[in-house]
């Protein structure tokens, strides 16, 4: 699976949009981009995934560049409860789900 | 649905002791897996299973055994606990094609003295 690169930490004011970048320059054509988050010491929580089109659900939006070498997770109106570590993961579709977690981005939402 | 459940939540062992961490899911998922997370690090895959009777090794399998006799249960056995196995252990399950979403349990915090 392709390796990903994320900033170590980011801050965001409550109510503002949080934009979390991820680089995956070696991504293959059959690899999806997944985002999970881990709040405090809880189990990771799935947020969203995409292949090449932009995706949106009730939690977030995922913007994937046309060359698929990078993506951005957008939390449109961050709240204090969104403070967490966010993991960007690239995985081949259709295989046993070996999610490879890096160290992620620690997002701190402040008042 | 209870989702993914793990027991116990906390455990303290002495070096050399053995124990089993329990994991169960009620979503009829084919795929189940075990991860460990050390302080300040991401999760690392220990073992996984794509269905009853089928298991395979992940990134850090040494010192751990698994079995999958039913779809619902996927226990993780520590054969002879070592201080290096002090960690938080997460179980996860996933279903559907191609395993789009995985659900994680609340974790078991294990300390080996």
């Amino acid at each position: 699976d392709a390796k990903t690169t994320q900033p170590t930490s980011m801050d965001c004011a409550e109510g503002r949009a949080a934009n979390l970048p991820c680089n995956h320059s070696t991504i293959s054509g059959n690899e999806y981009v997944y985002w999970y988050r881990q709040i405090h010491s809880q189990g990771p929580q799935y947020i969203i995934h995409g292949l090449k089109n932009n995706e949106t659900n009730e939690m977030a939006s995922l913007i994937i560049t046309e060359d698929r070498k990078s993506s951005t997770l957008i939390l449109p109106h961050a709240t204090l409860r969104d403070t967490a570590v966010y993991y960007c993961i690239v995985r081949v579709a259709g295989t046993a789900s070996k999610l490879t977690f890096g160290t992620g981005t620690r997002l701190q939402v402040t008042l | 649905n209870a989702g993914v459940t793990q027991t116990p939540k906390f455990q303290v062992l002495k070096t050399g002791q053995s124990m089993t961490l329990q994991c169960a899911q009620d979503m009829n998922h084919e795929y189940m897996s075990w991860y460990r997370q050390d302080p300040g690090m991401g999760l690392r895959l220990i073992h996984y299973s794509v269905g009853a009777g089928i298991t395979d090794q992940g990134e850090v399998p040494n010192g751990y055994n698994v079995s999958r006799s039913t779809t619902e249960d996927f226990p993780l056995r520590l054969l002879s606990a070592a201080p290096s196995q002090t960690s938080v252990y997460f179980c996860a399950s996933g279903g559907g094609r191609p395993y789009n979403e995985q659900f994680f349990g609340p974790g078991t915090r294990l300390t080996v003295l």
Side-chain angles (χ1 to χ4, degrees), chain B residues 76-96:
Chain B
L76 177 72
R77 298 183 185 84
L78 279 69
L79 308 174
S80 178
S84 61
Q85 294 178 304
T86 294
S87 190
V88 181
Y89 292 84
F90 292 100
C91 178
S93 75

Side-chain angles (χ1 to χ4, degrees), chain A residues 32 34 36 38 41-46 49 87 91-103, chain B residues 31 33 35 37 40-43 45 48 50 57 88 90 97-106 109:
Chain A
Y32 283 71
Y34 289 77
Y36 283 76
Q38 188 173 24
S41 298
Q42 300 175 18
Q45 176 189 23
Y46 165 85
H49 77 279
Y87 297 98
R91 182 175 69 82
V92 176
T95 63
S97 262
K98 299 179 185 180
L99 294 175
T100 301
F101 288 83
T103 53
Chain B
Y31 182 85
S33 57
Y35 293 85
Q37 185 174 32
M41 298 182 65
L43 282 73
L45 182 65
Y48 66 97
V50 298
Q57 296 181 351
V88 181
F90 292 100
R97 301 287 179 182
Y99 307 108
N100 285 338
E101 179 179 359
Q102 288 200 37
F103 296 85
F104 283 80
R109 283 154 180 76

Side-chain angles (χ1 to χ4, degrees), chain A residues 8-16 18 20 36-43 45 47 59 73 75 77-87 105-111:
Chain A
T8 302
S9 63
M10 296 181 64
D11 292 330
C12 179
E14 189 176 34
R16 305 297 293 268
L20 290 87
Y36 283 76
R37 73 180 182 182
Q38 188 173 24
I39 297 174
H40 194 44
S41 298
Q42 300 175 18
Q45 176 189 23
I47 301 173
M59 290 182 66
L73 177 74
L75 308 178
H77 305 287
T79 70
L80 297 177
R81 287 177 290 184
D82 292 322
T83 293
V85 178
Y86 288 77
Y87 297 98
T105 296
R106 181 171 297 278
L107 176 68
Q108 180 69 52
V109 181
T110 58
L111 291 172

Side-chain angles (χ1 to χ4, degrees), chain B residues 21-104:
Chain B
L21 307 185
Q22 301 293 343
C23 175
Q25 52 95 5
D26 60 1
M27 297 172 282
N28 201 33
H29 285 164
E30 297 175 345
Y31 182 85
M32 296 186 75
S33 57
W34 277 101
Y35 293 85
R36 62 175 288 173
Q37 185 174 32
D38 299 327
M41 298 182 65
L43 282 73
R44 292 184 292 170
L45 182 65
I46 304 172
H47 285 285
Y48 66 97
S49 169
V50 298
I54 306 170
T55 64
D56 206 346
Q57 296 181 351
E59 180 186 359
V60 288
N62 292 339
Y64 307 94
N65 276 355
V66 292
S67 60
R68 185 90 180 273
S69 57
T70 67
T71 299
E72 295 79 17
D73 301 299
F74 190 44
L76 177 72
R77 298 183 185 84
L78 279 69
L79 308 174
S80 178
S84 61
Q85 294 178 304
T86 294
S87 190
V88 181
Y89 292 84
F90 292 100
C91 178
S93 75
R97 301 287 179 182
Y99 307 108
N100 285 338
E101 179 179 359
Q102 288 200 37
F103 296 85
F104 283 80

Side-chain angles (χ1 to χ4, degrees), chain A residues 61-81:
Chain A
S61 294
L62 174 60
I63 308 299
I64 303 174
T65 59
E66 190 169 349
D67 62 8
R68 301 207 325 121
K69 293 184 177 182
S70 65
S71 60
T72 301
L73 177 74
I74 301 173
L75 308 178
H77 305 287
T79 70
L80 297 177
R81 287 177 290 184

